[in-house]
Amino acid sequence: MAESNHHHTTIYDRHGVFPAFMEHFHKMIARCMNARWGRWENFWAAEEVCVTRLLTRETVMDKLVYGATNPVKDLLVDEAWQWPGFNGYRLLLQGGSMRVRRPAHFFRQDGVMPEEVTLTLVIPPELGERGAVIDELRARVREVEEATRACRLATGRRVLGKKRVVEQSWRDSPTSVEPRRTLRPRFAGPVEARIAALVAYKQFLATYHHAREAWLQGQAATFPVGTYWLARFTPIAVASPLN
């Protein structure tokens, strides 16, 4: 789900390419939109991208609901499917594919980027049977919509609405103060799962540190599974996932 100043993206990174994907994704959006609006400064915040590993199926479902209902809880639209920006929730419910044409204001007509791409959102089998997952997601999103609607009616607050969302200037920015120095969780899930994940992560860091020290001294070194940057840009040895 993409809102006006951020996006919530839930992915299953089966092949460990998420860092490369985010680099390309953010880079191309920034260049394209800066060209569209004649901007020259940073498009995205300069801080590190917030990436959280979801440890359980329930946590994944929670985040899917959270992303879908963000515009509802912010009183921008009444129902999640109405959000006019990129709406992965609506695309999932429709069960179809989105065809997107290459923007003419930035990409060359004879460039290497394709004229059109097709995006299909799928449910990984690890999450369950597609129909059951969609039914659960729809029901949980509806619960949030109904609770938000009841709260809105009780307080007299109103929804901005899709038409007024679209009419907003791209120069507009939130007037509320963004919370600072809050936690940026590396893992999300039940306490037991988070503890196990943190222990494994500390072990990874220790193994990586020792391997890097040996490598810098010219000694034979095998880096742990999950090593990304060095594995991508240097000829190092990485342990087999089966070990």
Side-chain angles (χ1 to χ4, degrees):
M1 181 76 71
E3 294 197 43
S4 58
N5 59 358
H6 67 286
H7 66 91
H8 298 275
T9 306
T10 305
I11 68 169
Y12 185 74
D13 189 15
R14 190 183 303 277
H15 303 293
V17 296
F18 179 71
F21 165 76
M22 289 304 299
E23 174 192 356
H24 188 71
F25 178 51
H26 281 176
K27 176 178 64 178
M28 298 310 294
I29 288 181
R31 291 178 175 177
C32 185
M33 295 308 296
N34 276 345
R36 171 68 176 84
W37 298 117
R39 300 178 71 256
W40 297 99
E41 302 298 332
N42 288 359
F43 183 84
W44 301 104
E47 63 187 21
E48 179 184 357
V49 176
C50 181
V51 179
T52 303
R53 181 179 176 185
L54 310 180
L55 300 172
T56 65
R57 179 191 182 280
E58 181 63 24
T59 307
V60 174
M61 295 301 299
D62 288 344
K63 297 306 179 183
L64 287 174
V65 174
Y66 175 83
T69 58
N70 233 238
V72 174
K73 290 180 291 186
D74 286 345
L75 304 185
L76 299 175
V77 292
D78 181 53
E79 298 181 358
W81 67 268
Q82 296 172 332
W83 176 246
F86 177 78
N87 194 322
Y89 175 67
R90 183 171 60 229
L91 190 56
L92 273 177
L93 295 188
Q94 294 172 346
S97 300
M98 173 181 288
R99 299 173 63 187
V100 182
R101 294 190 60 81
R102 181 180 62 204
H105 66 267
F106 176 70
F107 299 99
R108 297 191 304 271
Q109 290 187 356
D110 59 347
V112 298
M113 300 298 286
E115 293 185 8
E116 183 178 282
V117 294
T118 300
L119 175 66
T120 302
L121 300 186
V122 299
I123 302 294
E126 290 82 358
L127 205 59
E129 191 274 324
R130 184 187 187 283
V133 173
I134 294 300
D135 289 343
E136 178 183 349
L137 179 60
R138 182 187 286 112
R140 293 185 57 179
V141 167
R142 187 178 298 118
E143 290 179 1
V144 176
E145 291 171 343
E146 292 174 353
T148 304
R149 189 178 300 123
C151 181
R152 194 178 70 240
L153 293 175
T155 58
R157 301 183 66 183
R158 302 180 64 181
V159 169
L160 185 64
K162 182 169 65 174
K163 182 175 183 294
R164 292 179 63 190
V165 168
V166 174
E167 290 175 347
Q168 288 182 316
S169 169
W170 66 270
R171 295 183 177 86
D172 291 345
S173 60
T175 56
S176 57
V177 178
E178 181 181 3
R180 297 291 184 181
R181 296 182 176 85
T182 57
L183 294 177
R184 293 171 60 86
R186 185 175 296 275
F187 304 104
V191 174
E192 297 81 2
R194 294 203 309 273
I195 291 175
L198 286 169
V199 169
Y201 179 62
K202 288 184 177 180
Q203 181 60 49
F204 166 83
L205 292 179
T207 305
Y208 178 91
H209 173 75
H210 292 310
R212 184 174 181 274
E213 288 298 312
W215 177 68
L216 289 175
Q217 295 173 19
Q219 303 173 9
T222 300
F223 286 78
V225 175
T227 300
Y228 177 76
W229 196 93
L230 286 177
R232 181 181 177 188
F233 296 106
T234 64
I236 64 168
V238 179
S240 169
L242 299 179
N243 293 340

